[in-house]
mmCIF file of all heavy atoms in Angstrom:
data_model
loop_
_atom_site.group_PDB
_atom_site.id
_atom_site.type_symbol
_atom_site.label_atom_id
_atom_site.label_comp_id
_atom_site.label_asym_id
_atom_site.label_seq_id
_atom_site.Cartn_x
_atom_site.Cartn_y
_atom_site.Cartn_z
ATOM 1 N N GLU O 56 -8.525 15.669 3.404
ATOM 2 C CA GLU O 56 -9.113 15.902 2.136
ATOM 3 C C GLU O 56 -8.343 15.084 1.049
ATOM 4 O O GLU O 56 -7.130 14.923 1.143
ATOM 5 C CB GLU O 56 -9.213 17.268 1.666
ATOM 6 C CG GLU O 56 -9.999 18.215 2.579
ATOM 7 C CD GLU O 56 -9.968 19.689 2.141
ATOM 8 O OE1 GLU O 56 -9.333 19.970 1.128
ATOM 9 O OE2 GLU O 56 -10.541 20.506 2.871
ATOM 10 N N SER O 64 -8.247 17.309 -16.131
ATOM 11 C CA SER O 64 -9.130 18.412 -15.691
ATOM 12 C C SER O 64 -8.388 19.208 -14.651
ATOM 13 O O SER O 64 -7.655 18.706 -13.915
ATOM 14 C CB SER O 64 -10.389 17.808 -15.133
ATOM 15 O OG SER O 64 -11.158 18.870 -14.488
ATOM 16 N N PRO O 67 -10.754 19.697 -9.588
ATOM 17 C CA PRO O 67 -10.723 18.374 -8.900
ATOM 18 C C PRO O 67 -12.072 17.955 -8.408
ATOM 19 O O PRO O 67 -13.004 18.729 -8.168
ATOM 20 C CB PRO O 67 -9.770 18.635 -7.835
ATOM 21 C CG PRO O 67 -9.989 20.090 -7.365
ATOM 22 C CD PRO O 67 -10.196 20.871 -8.683
ATOM 23 N N VAL O 82 -15.186 6.863 -2.800
ATOM 24 C CA VAL O 82 -15.543 6.904 -4.167
ATOM 25 C C VAL O 82 -15.455 8.373 -4.684
ATOM 26 O O VAL O 82 -16.185 9.281 -4.221
ATOM 27 C CB VAL O 82 -16.871 6.287 -4.497
ATOM 28 C CG1 VAL O 82 -17.219 6.373 -5.957
ATOM 29 C CG2 VAL O 82 -16.959 4.838 -4.092
ATOM 30 N N PRO O 100 -3.810 16.806 4.562
ATOM 31 C CA PRO O 100 -4.152 16.627 5.989
ATOM 32 C C PRO O 100 -4.614 17.907 6.487
ATOM 33 O O PRO O 100 -4.372 19.044 6.015
ATOM 34 C CB PRO O 100 -2.896 16.109 6.609
ATOM 35 C CG PRO O 100 -1.855 16.786 5.821
ATOM 36 C CD PRO O 100 -2.327 16.786 4.450
ATOM 37 N N GLU O 124 -14.953 -0.294 -11.211
ATOM 38 C CA GLU O 124 -16.083 -1.171 -11.353
ATOM 39 C C GLU O 124 -15.720 -2.582 -11.736
ATOM 40 O O GLU O 124 -14.546 -2.797 -12.177
ATOM 41 C CB GLU O 124 -17.096 -0.542 -12.397
ATOM 42 C CG GLU O 124 -16.458 -0.490 -13.776
ATOM 43 C CD GLU O 124 -17.473 0.231 -14.750
ATOM 44 O OE1 GLU O 124 -18.603 -0.387 -14.969
ATOM 45 O OE2 GLU O 124 -17.187 1.255 -15.229
ATOM 46 N N PRO O 136 -0.411 11.725 -20.111
ATOM 47 C CA PRO O 136 0.303 12.905 -19.582
ATOM 48 C C PRO O 136 0.830 12.667 -18.182
ATOM 49 O O PRO O 136 1.774 13.423 -17.742
ATOM 50 C CB PRO O 136 -0.759 13.992 -19.534
ATOM 51 C CG PRO O 136 -1.756 13.614 -20.506
ATOM 52 C CD PRO O 136 -1.861 12.097 -20.567
ATOM 53 N N GLU O 161 -1.439 20.876 -3.314
ATOM 54 C CA GLU O 161 -0.796 20.585 -4.594
ATOM 55 C C GLU O 161 -0.385 21.829 -5.419
ATOM 56 O O GLU O 161 0.321 21.795 -6.361
ATOM 57 C CB GLU O 161 -1.587 19.685 -5.446
ATOM 58 C CG GLU O 161 -2.929 20.187 -5.906
ATOM 59 C CD GLU O 161 -4.094 19.752 -4.942
ATOM 60 O OE1 GLU O 161 -3.838 19.403 -3.767
ATOM 61 O OE2 GLU O 161 -5.215 19.734 -5.370
ATOM 62 N N PRO O 166 5.134 20.737 -5.289
ATOM 63 C CA PRO O 166 4.586 20.098 -6.462
ATOM 64 C C PRO O 166 4.618 20.891 -7.712
ATOM 65 O O PRO O 166 4.855 20.384 -8.785
ATOM 66 C CB PRO O 166 3.069 19.940 -5.958
ATOM 67 C CG PRO O 166 3.126 20.001 -4.463
ATOM 68 C CD PRO O 166 4.251 20.939 -4.122
ATOM 69 N N LEU O 184 8.025 21.923 11.688
ATOM 70 C CA LEU O 184 9.278 21.318 11.773
ATOM 71 C C LEU O 184 10.376 22.242 11.896
ATOM 72 O O LEU O 184 10.386 23.323 11.259
ATOM 73 C CB LEU O 184 9.516 20.389 10.579
ATOM 74 C CG LEU O 184 10.723 19.577 10.675
ATOM 75 C CD1 LEU O 184 10.702 18.545 11.816
ATOM 76 C CD2 LEU O 184 11.038 18.864 9.337
ATOM 77 N N PRO O 191 6.454 22.206 20.963
ATOM 78 C CA PRO O 191 6.595 21.668 22.300
ATOM 79 C C PRO O 191 5.455 20.785 22.752
ATOM 80 O O PRO O 191 5.519 19.954 23.663
ATOM 81 C CB PRO O 191 6.729 22.929 23.175
ATOM 82 C CG PRO O 191 6.063 24.012 22.353
ATOM 83 C CD PRO O 191 6.410 23.738 20.907
ATOM 84 N N THR O 193 4.157 18.466 20.880
ATOM 85 C CA THR O 193 4.382 17.196 20.095
ATOM 86 C C THR O 193 5.623 16.543 20.480
ATOM 87 O O THR O 193 6.535 17.163 21.065
ATOM 88 C CB THR O 193 4.234 17.318 18.590
ATOM 89 O OG1 THR O 193 5.371 17.955 18.131
ATOM 90 C CG2 THR O 193 2.913 18.051 18.214
ATOM 91 N N SER O 245 22.823 28.967 19.229
ATOM 92 C CA SER O 245 23.849 29.867 18.678
ATOM 93 C C SER O 245 24.009 29.667 17.180
ATOM 94 O O SER O 245 23.621 28.615 16.686
ATOM 95 C CB SER O 245 25.169 29.578 19.472
ATOM 96 O OG SER O 245 25.644 28.345 19.095
#
Side-chain angles (χ1 to χ4, degrees):
E56 299 176 4
S64 173
V82 177
E124 64 184 294
E161 58 266 29
L184 186 64
T193 70
S245 67

